[in-house]
Amino acid sequence: MKVLASVGGYMRVSAAAVLFSVGVAASAPVSAQLTPRTTNLKTAPCELTIRPEVQPRVSCYRLTVPRRYDDRSRGTYELAVFVRRAETPVPGRAPVLWLHGGPGSGVGARALNTDYPFFPGADVVYFASRGSYPSQPQPCRDLDQKQALALVGKLSFAERRARYLAPHLECRRRLDALNIQTDEFGTSLNTEDIERLRRALGVEQWNVWANSYGTGSAYDLLFRYPRSVRAALLSSPISLIATGAIFLRRDAKYIKRLAEYCRVDAACAVAFPDLQASVARARSSLVGQPIVTRPFPAPFDSADVVLDETLFDTVLSELINNAPSLPKIPRFIRAVLERDVTHIAEITRPLGARLGGLNVFGHTAFKCRDLPQFSPDPLVEVRPACPTWGLRGPPIRVPRRVQTPVLLLTGELDNNTPPEHGAAAQRLMGRRARHVNIPTVSHGPYGYNACAREIAHAFFERPEAPLDTSCLTTIPPLRFDLARAGS
């Protein structure tokens, strides 16, 4: 198979993943292995809301990096680093480097407070890439939620697209005044920042845990600094090829699979004998007769949202892409058919926060720099703004016949980074890479499936050992939540 130089990927950002509360508890000491060894890594205030029981095990730092490694005269950025010690440490266990998605989602309270240890007994190092929360720079933070306004009011698709892109274009206009250059961002610079962090912490090797866009950083790290990685787990790996229109409006494939699950769920089968046909009827019912609802939380809770057929496509794509929302899709369809405004608002309310939580600067600076893939939903595709963001950067490089053990985890129903991405990566990377597809879940299977976590932890424990995937046969079929609103 031909080696391809570029990697693509996209993940919308959860607003919960960027929750901040400046001035939380003072940093606690970490294990001797992870004590800063260089002056460019310094203790800093924790800028996240951390659960009281977790606070004593979290230390917060700022890593100073040059804006350009080949031009130190440009100055520096400070990047956020968080270290969470294992609750029950295993002596000698290599730490886990956690690489976030987006691009631009950064490190948030949800990641630091997770109840799932990425590798039991190991410390976890959370790294927020430049331009991603809460690392520097943040020139456009006030523009993030303005994207959600693209969904408000009765607008044509073109008008919605223009309103969605407006904050990205405004952000670009701000950069010149702030002396921020677009070539100071990109996955290749992330890789150098990660290597700088490894040396600053005195880590010989670490395990890499990456999700969505973070898998692009992991590919590049494995290519450039393979000896720094003991094992790599890539959850929802991004595409290895530039993709275009063939990925747009591909959700019919996933609706078909949901319909198959519905037929084996007795209650769903009775309520929806043909779920695919019901989805088509719901969309058609909005043509010329949109539904006005108010699904947004504050500060948009007073804004009407007009649900027409094009916004229906976006909402449905978002529901598929978010594993906890999958069981609610049939009742969303029923609410649309019954024009149940209250029920529609209840189900779609979290989506407004997610669509409005995208990091305008961090996302666009990286996506326009080195990510060729289009979003599965054309409404929220930022690529038309890219011509104003400067030249393409160095491509993400993918190792062929990788020598480091790699596990690729995909979700069966992921319409964003589908299972085909994992299969393609495995073929390219060779026998040291293995691919496991997890049934009944979509994006980010590790966080939503116990079997995925069991396989992941066993892999990190013995990366070279054969994988025991027997738990896949015990995963029950998807069960649907058909309850009425307020019941």
Side-chain angles (χ1 to χ4, degrees), residues 6 8 14 61 82 122 170 229 235 246-247 256 285 318 325 333:
S6 297
S14 168
Y61 301 98
F82 305 87
E170 169 60 25
V229 182
S235 176
I246 61 169
F247 279 90
K256 180 180 179 180
S285 73
E318 284 285 335
S325 298
I333 300 304

Side-chain angles (χ1 to χ4, degrees), residues 252-326:
K253 167 184 174 181
Y254 301 95
I255 292 298
K256 180 180 179 180
R257 183 63 178 134
L258 285 173
E260 292 171 357
Y261 277 122
C262 184
R263 283 194 289 272
V264 299
D265 181 332
C268 188
V270 170
F272 297 91
D274 188 341
L275 183 60
Q276 283 180 281
S278 296
V279 171
R281 286 199 307 274
R283 188 183 192 282
S284 296
S285 73
L286 298 171
V287 178
Q289 299 182 70
I291 297 173
V292 179
T293 183
R294 290 186 176 182
F296 281 165
F300 303 117
D301 50 1
S302 62
D304 286 341
V305 174
V306 179
L307 183 67
D308 59 13
E309 67 275 16
T310 59
L311 187 53
F312 174 88
D313 291 338
T314 294
V315 170
L316 185 60
S317 186
E318 284 285 335
L319 291 173
I320 293 171
N321 189 51
N322 183 36
S325 298
L326 283 169

Side-chain angles (χ1 to χ4, degrees), residues 56-77:
R57 294 189 285 115
V58 174
S59 294
C60 307
Y61 301 98
R62 286 276 166 166
L63 176 72
T64 302
V65 299
R67 294 188 178 197
R68 288 286 306 188
Y69 283 88
D70 57 358
D71 183 1
R72 303 300 178 100
S73 67
R74 292 202 193 179
T76 60
Y77 290 129

Side-chain angles (χ1 to χ4, degrees), residues 26-32 34-35 55-59 61 83 85 123:
S27 299
V30 296
S31 62
L34 296 183
T35 300
Q55 286 179 17
R57 294 189 285 115
V58 174
S59 294
Y61 301 98
V83 176
R85 288 183 298 149
D123 296 344

Side-chain angles (χ1 to χ4, degrees), residues 367-438:
K367 186 155 191 179
C368 291
R369 188 76 176 150
D370 56 23
L371 296 184
Q373 182 178 312
F374 281 72
S375 164
D377 185 348
L379 177 59
V380 293
E381 170 56 52
V382 301
R383 193 157 306 280
C386 289
T388 67
W389 281 76
L391 299 175
R392 301 278 299 174
I396 299 173
R397 295 186 288 185
V398 184
R400 187 173 184 175
R401 292 186 294 275
V402 67
Q403 297 304 302
T404 303
V406 174
L407 174 61
L408 300 129
L409 282 182
T410 56
E412 174 198 14
L413 297 168
D414 190 346
N415 67 343
N416 194 339
T417 53
E420 292 82 357
H421 289 183
Q426 191 280 324
R427 289 192 298 270
L428 177 65
M429 299 173 82
R431 63 181 182 82
R432 303 294 292 276
R434 287 163 286 180
H435 172 220
V436 178
N437 191 37
I438 307 296

Side-chain angles (χ1 to χ4, degrees), residues 15 18-22 47 131-135 137-147 171 174 356-362:
V18 291
L19 178 64
F20 294 92
S21 178
V22 177
E47 298 179 275
S132 301
Y133 303 134
S135 291
Q138 293 298 328
C140 306
R141 183 83 186 278
D142 60 309
L143 298 176
D144 292 351
Q145 284 195 320
K146 291 186 178 180
Q147 297 164 106
C171 182
R174 294 182 181 184
L358 178 67
N359 181 345
V360 167
F361 176 71

